[in-house]
Amino acid sequence: MAIRKIIEIDEEKCDGCGLCIPGCPEGALKIIDGKAKLVNESYCDGMGACIGECPRNAIKMIEREAPEFDEEGAKHNIALISARSAQIKTWPACPGSAVRNFDDSTAAPPLPERLSVPRLTNWPVQLMLVPPAADYLRNADLLICADCVPFAIADFHDRYLLGRKVLVGCPKLDDLNYYFEKLKTIFQTAEPNSLLVLKMEVPCCNGIASAAMAARDAVMPHLKMDVQTIGIQGSIITGDIKKGKLPFGNRNA
């Protein structure tokens, strides 16, 4: 520790604009909970390059006891920040995560007023959690559903859950190979009567139908299967899934 110059941030004045962040060549500042923070005192060189970037005059230089400036540590920190930034820039953009805002006037007309009755008859519903030997799966009419679908369909319970057992998953965030292997086990063990797959219109959602189809073809090719693609605002777009392009096992179809 030494008595040296170091910055001080007045959080009352700071509005979290972030203009000071690129002004710190050592990467010692971050925005946390809407405020600029000095996250590592040893990375602050006390030169005050960030001060002139603050439009709120929330940063000033003071002199107090603080850790010695760690030049090598600051260089390593900047290298890590640069590497993370480069990685983020190479991530492929996902059409499914495109932000959309809907006007109420374009939404589907309201349903007639009636008493709503929940139709869920099994638990758990998450594909990652359900045991393949669960009694409720045996000879069931099975619904495999991307987890965004119920939010797009106003009458999801009556239209799709009635008379079916449901398994829910996210093909974007979960492991599709795990889905494939687990669904194979479920089909072998439970021998369902029928299979309906609901997926959203975004491209990344095709994976849940692909995994279900590949698993069905591998162990129970005679199982009746239907796929419906649901639009962002609840419309049914198509039921088609192309065969021969699935990333699971050997495909003969």
Side-chain angles (χ1 to χ4, degrees):
M1 302 289 284
I3 301 297
R4 68 180 186 91
K5 290 183 177 180
I6 193 168
I7 66 162
E8 182 178 74
I9 300 170
D10 185 340
E11 292 193 5
E12 293 296 322
K13 293 182 178 179
C14 177
D15 62 2
C17 71
L19 293 177
C20 58
I21 304 299
C24 177
E26 291 77 30
L29 298 174
K30 286 184 180 180
I31 301 298
I32 300 176
D33 296 331
K35 300 289 183 180
K37 305 280 188 180
L38 179 59
V39 293
N40 192 319
E41 293 183 351
S42 65
Y43 292 166
C44 177
D45 62 4
M47 300 299 291
C50 58
I51 293 177
E53 304 297 333
C54 180
R56 303 274 296 178
N57 295 317
I59 306 175
K60 66 180 180 180
M61 189 67 65
I62 63 171
E63 193 169 297
R64 64 170 173 83
E65 188 176 50
E68 296 276 6
F69 173 56
D70 181 2
E71 184 174 2
E72 290 304 313
K75 288 180 180 179
H76 180 66
N77 184 49
I78 285 297
L80 290 176
I81 293 172
S82 298
R84 284 196 295 267
S85 297
Q87 183 183 35
I88 290 171
K89 289 177 182 178
T90 63
W91 287 348
C94 174
S97 61
V99 176
R100 312 186 194 189
N101 186 33
F102 305 127
D103 190 305
D104 286 345
S105 64
T106 65
L111 294 172
E113 288 189 14
R114 62 180 177 179
L115 183 64
S116 179
V117 178
R119 303 297 186 181
L120 181 65
T121 59
N122 65 279
W123 189 267
V125 298
Q126 282 288 344
L127 182 53
M128 301 290 284
L129 300 178
V130 64
D135 288 342
Y136 59 74
L137 296 177
R138 184 72 182 171
N139 302 134
D141 291 311
L142 193 59
L143 171 62
I144 297 176
C145 179
D147 57 7
C148 291
V149 167
F151 296 97
I153 301 174
D155 59 344
F156 174 79
H157 276 242
D158 284 342
R159 191 190 301 187
Y160 290 110
L161 276 192
L162 185 61
R164 295 188 176 97
K165 305 300 180 181
V166 62
L167 301 176
V168 178
C170 178
K172 176 71 173 178
L173 301 180
D174 293 337
D175 183 346
L176 286 179
N177 284 309
Y178 177 87
Y179 279 6
F180 170 60
E181 295 296 336
K182 188 160 192 178
L183 287 172
K184 282 200 305 180
T185 303
I186 288 174
F187 296 157
Q188 286 175 325
T189 304
E191 298 182 333
N193 288 325
S194 66
L195 177 61
L196 172 62
V197 179
L198 300 180
K199 65 184 185 68
M200 295 300 295
E201 66 176 296
V202 296
C204 59
C205 210
N206 289 328
I208 198 166
S210 298
M213 179 178 288
R216 187 279 308 262
D217 290 353
V219 301
M220 205 177 178
H222 60 281
L223 176 63
K224 180 183 177 181
M225 177 178 176
D226 185 28
V227 177
Q228 292 186 13
T229 300
I230 308 301
I232 296 295
Q233 291 186 276
S235 60
I236 299 175
I237 298 177
T238 178
D240 178 56
I241 289 290
K242 294 181 179 179
K243 293 186 177 183
K245 297 183 179 180
L246 305 181
F248 311 98
N250 295 319
R251 302 290 296 136
N252 296 318

